Amino acid sequence: MRALLGVLLVVFTAFAYNVFWGEFIHCDIGTCPYPNPDGKFLEIGPNYAVFDTRGDPSAMGFFVLAVEFKRHTTVTIQGWWSYELPRTLAYVVSDKGLTAFECSTGGGQQCSVSGAAAPGVYYIVFVDAWAAQTVRVEADGPLDLIDVSPQRVACALWRAGVLRGQRITYAFNWPSRPGASVSQDIVEGSCGPPDLQEALAFAAAAGLNATEASLLTRPLGYNVTAVERKYGSAVFYLQPDLTYVVPLALEVQWPNAGRLLLVNPSNVSVTWAVELRLSNKTGSSGVAHGSRLSLTNVTLPPRSVYELYLYGVAREGGSYVFSYRIRAAGSYSWSNYVFYTEGRLVTQNGSFLNWLWGRLEQFWGGVTGDKCAEARGAGRSWAAERLGLQGVVAELDAAAGFVLMTTGVGELAKAAGGAAKASEKALEIWRKLSRPIKAVLYLDLLANGVLLGWDAYQEAASGQIPWREIADAALMAGGPVLQRSRLMASLLASGSGVMLFLGEPFDAAQQFADDLYAEASKYGNYSQCFIDGALQAFSTYAQEATIANYLGVVSTFVDWSKLELSRHWLGYRQIAALSAFDYKTPGPIFKFDKSGYRFIAVNKEKLGYASSGNVIMFEISSKDNRLYSVARWNKFLRWVSWLAVEEGKYGGVDYELRLARFEYQESSGATKTALAAVVVDKKTGVPLLLSYNDYFMSLVVGKALQGGVMGRVYEVTLAGVKGQARAFTFDFPGNMEKVACVNAAGCRWETLIKYLTGVLAPELYNARPEAVGMEVFLIKEAREVVSAKSLAIDWLEPGSKGLFLVQQPGTAFDVLAIDREGRLVIVEVKRKEYLKREEDLRQLADKISYLRQLDRIKGVSVGDALSYLIAAYNGAGPSGIGSHGASSTFVYEPVLQVLNWKGDKTRVIFSFVVVDIDNHKAVVYTVERRLEELTYDFIKNVAKDAYDLFDYVKTEGGVDIRDVVRATVAQYSGTPPFLK
């Protein structure tokens, strides 16, 4: 019997394996569904791939497509899944080990990303979410599937830091491996033994062929069967079965110019002969064509990167192909470097040509009646005159049709930590390699449309990299930053503060914007055309001048000493620097695609820096049914006192986390004080992050604890209803009193306990940290508004219709939250002796009565409105690019918790937090009721029972309250990375 079972098991296994292989893997593209005949999870077309599990969300795994782009290809990824949670749905990783694209939802249900990929081999990785999802990858060229090994894919993913420790589950179009397991772990060993990698790095850099390379690898147990040199890489095929890719050149492009990074990954110095060619005819990849421009010998020290700049001038617009050939020890490697331009590669004598171009455009606009062209031409001429009709001559001969200049810039610098996240990923594959100066790294990011984020902002604000270098990078990058400069000029000219401070005031940028908009206003409805023309002229000139100056090109037309005294030139440079950062509007504005609306906004105040360098309070406001971001306070006076909570180092910055009290003057002249949480650069004293009345304040108050215990849960009876009680003690530093005394009326310890309750809410009320708000005012009305240009959110078109939630004074709850079951949580923090104050209890009952009277508001349910309101008080901000941005205001991507609102029947967790300040003890009482049952009499009876039971509830056998705080800090999605 046992033998029979064994035979049946073998037969079944063989059958199942053949079915798996035949249905999942081994079939022709387009003829078999992937990965099974029912779900058809993967559909592949000539230039697209669709991964869809909505038919059967039980699929699990990481699905990989290996593709080859033979020319520069624009790739777009769009994804959807069934939950509003942060999730990465797809990656595109290059064979060299760089993450080209990553489609992440950021807390919503959808993701979208687009960009250009240089020629080469790429791996499209669909990440199964164990839920219904659809991801579409589309290219503007062929999606050619190629045959590679699972191990080669795993090596690239490991280098790129994608899915480390996971396993490739399914992969497609690998006919060279029929019958082999496609499962491959993404681990450090995916690339082979370290000694083998070192030997192959030398073989690649020295130009060895397969026979020569085998002499190095045989002692390690491997034999090289073939070497392929393409796309700036050397690919080694070995036995036993292993493929290893060594990058030797990276291609980086920006408008009108480009750069090659030559990489020596070996531990010896090498000399390469680098030949460059240029042609205006697109050729097949891997074949050099066009006339030779230069042949240069380049010596690269061990483990180094050499920068080779390309700076071109062409008579005609169109597609130009740069080809490079690297020769080392008799071996050749061809690859193409391509960029596209709609006009000249570099405009000669830029400012004068802009002036002439502007005059011609004005004339032509007048003749044809094109008022926009006429205004745009006037803008170009105006800009050229502000630059003094200076031009850039790079001493290049344009008459020949095209000329190319190459130069190596900057001797190699030692690798350093920090910089932007994308740069770290790009260089991670060569652990010990040198890296270029940070300004050049920033240029690469900006040129590819990646704006600088929090890490770069910290470095600039702390003085590690001057803002002038960021301006240089932004000017050379052109394109994406030019688009942002329009927005930045608009913000400055309209008086809306730019919440960004780099340690120096940006007065010239403000003056430039004012002058520009004042002149543009003469053109009425066509003022924006004037502005576009002027900024385009400044951008063209700035690119030429900056690139020429950066490369050390002598110009006989530019008097740099005079140019740098021009306030318009300086102003545009400052705007470019501001535009380089991932900027977020300081105000809670959320996507809301319901009832014909595009967004919901809340007039919650936010604290941050204005462009002048002054601390200021911002809020969202409306006027004439238009929504704006406005300054609320006229004058920040001083920091009165602060408590140093924590010190640390992040991204090369030594910071101090503080809880601080500040003084400000309102427009009425009245002087007031308030609490804030501040992250300060210890070296310069510049605050890098400011927080006011949000969950970051809760985190800081929690981190300020020096001790305390949270006790077990007691079952108690409150107002005749079964409830719970739980005690905790708190131990704050002695000088916390200086911060807690926020006004002349005395110390407001209750304020600190409110924020401490907020950080404890996940433990006390089973609420997600993102769904907790402190001192939350209820909604007075919802106004129908349209968005103004100054709101500056990437997904929000000016003129979009939305709802503006205006708050009702006198209705603030100490803590308002939504638990994980969708119940409303109402918390009142009281000193023990205040539980007997009838006036306080009536005020609380009145607020709950006001809440009961809320009804549907202009197409938005009360449940939705309260969810967005709490998110605003928690600190969530607009859903722009990136997770933190470069704003000095605390803000993070919204993660909404849905409230199950049923009017009077809404389930509510009602809670008193009763505080004994003298004994540093608090007791949290909770009871669940329907909203209609929270009457004054009920609240009064709960307060009486809470007072009587206070001494009965103990903390014996409890846990360290600081451990509870640390757990919340770790799970909160808004926690800045340096606090984790």
Side-chain angles (χ1 to χ4, degrees), residues 65-125:
L65 285 176
V67 300
E68 181 180 22
F69 297 135
K70 294 180 180 178
R71 63 175 181 82
H72 275 76
T73 303
T74 298
V75 180
T76 301
I77 308 176
Q78 293 180 316
W80 168 91
W81 81 311
S82 53
Y83 295 99
E84 291 193 1
L85 295 171
R87 186 77 188 193
T88 299
L89 298 179
Y91 299 90
V92 178
V93 178
S94 78
D95 199 32
K96 296 176 181 179
L98 302 174
T99 305
F101 308 101
E102 178 178 328
C103 199
S104 301
T105 64
Q109 288 184 287
Q110 299 179 9
C111 71
S112 181
V113 67
S114 181
V121 174
Y122 292 84
Y123 306 116
I124 301 172
V125 184

Side-chain angles (χ1 to χ4, degrees), residues 620-893:
I620 301 298
S621 184
S622 67
K623 182 180 180 182
D624 299 328
N625 293 326
R626 296 186 67 81
L627 201 66
Y628 299 88
S629 174
V630 298
R632 182 174 178 271
W633 294 346
N634 284 352
K635 191 174 182 181
F636 171 86
L637 297 177
R638 65 191 178 102
W639 296 106
V640 178
S641 59
W642 65 80
L643 171 73
V645 174
E646 183 177 274
E647 293 183 350
K649 189 180 185 72
Y650 182 79
V653 177
D654 291 311
Y655 71 86
E656 184 174 82
L657 183 62
R658 297 176 178 174
L659 192 64
R661 183 160 58 100
F662 63 93
E663 190 174 69
Y664 65 97
Q665 187 177 58
E666 289 191 324
S667 55
S668 63
T671 299
K672 294 187 176 182
T673 62
L675 282 177
V678 191
V679 180
V680 178
D681 173 33
K682 292 180 65 177
K683 182 179 179 181
T684 63
V686 173
L688 304 177
L689 183 67
L690 297 118
S691 158
Y692 171 79
N693 187 27
D694 53 35
Y695 207 73
F696 187 80
M697 282 262 298
S698 280
L699 299 185
V700 176
V701 170
K703 278 180 166 286
L705 285 170
Q706 293 183 319
V709 174
M710 177 175 285
R712 65 178 178 85
V713 176
Y714 283 73
E715 299 295 332
V716 295
T717 299
L718 300 169
V721 178
K722 289 183 179 180
Q724 295 181 342
R726 194 170 187 180
F728 66 84
T729 58
F730 50 89
D731 181 17
F732 284 114
N735 57 344
M736 179 69 93
E737 184 174 353
K738 293 182 180 179
V739 178
C741 300
V742 295
N743 55 36
C747 293
R748 297 292 302 274
W749 281 97
E750 297 97 315
T751 300
L752 294 178
I753 303 304
K754 289 177 192 177
Y755 287 101
L756 180 58
T757 302
V759 81
L760 300 178
E763 174 72 18
L764 294 173
Y765 308 114
N766 189 31
R768 294 170 59 179
E770 297 84 1
V772 181
M774 279 64 63
E775 298 183 323
V776 180
F777 285 86
L778 293 177
I779 302 163
K780 175 183 179 182
E781 61 175 321
R783 299 173 187 165
E784 192 171 279
V785 293
V786 294
S787 57
K789 291 181 180 179
S790 63
L791 288 180
I793 302 173
D794 62 337
W795 51 263
L796 188 61
E797 291 291 329
S800 298
K801 188 170 70 170
L803 288 174
F804 180 40
L805 303 183
V806 182
Q807 298 159 76
Q808 174 67 39
T811 62
F813 286 107
D814 289 344
V815 179
L816 195 66
I818 304 170
D819 74 2
R820 294 177 186 272
E821 298 179 26
R823 295 175 297 188
L824 188 64
V825 180
I826 297 176
V827 182
E828 187 76 3
V829 178
K830 290 288 182 190
R831 291 197 185 197
K832 182 182 176 184
E833 56 270 27
Y834 291 176
L835 286 177
K836 296 184 176 181
R837 285 188 179 182
E838 186 172 323
E839 180 183 356
D840 285 9
L841 300 180
R842 285 198 179 277
Q843 287 178 353
L844 175 59
D846 289 343
K847 286 186 284 188
I848 293 175
S849 177
Y850 181 86
L851 176 62
R852 291 178 58 191
Q853 295 172 19
L854 293 178
D855 200 355
R856 190 171 185 84
I857 311 167
K858 288 188 179 178
V860 57
S861 70
V862 175
D864 280 344
L866 290 177
S867 297
Y868 286 106
L869 182 70
I870 291 171
Y873 275 86
N874 188 271
S879 300
I881 301 171
S883 58
H884 291 282
S887 172
S888 50
T889 296
F890 170 72
V891 65
Y892 76 99
E893 296 299 313

Side-chain angles (χ1 to χ4, degrees), residues 64 78 137 153-154 159 165 272 392 410 557 593 630 691 710 778 881:
V64 180
Q78 293 180 316
V137 178
V153 179
R159 285 172 162 176
W272 291 344
V392 175
F557 280 71
D593 292 314
V630 298
S691 158
M710 177 175 285
L778 293 177
I881 301 171

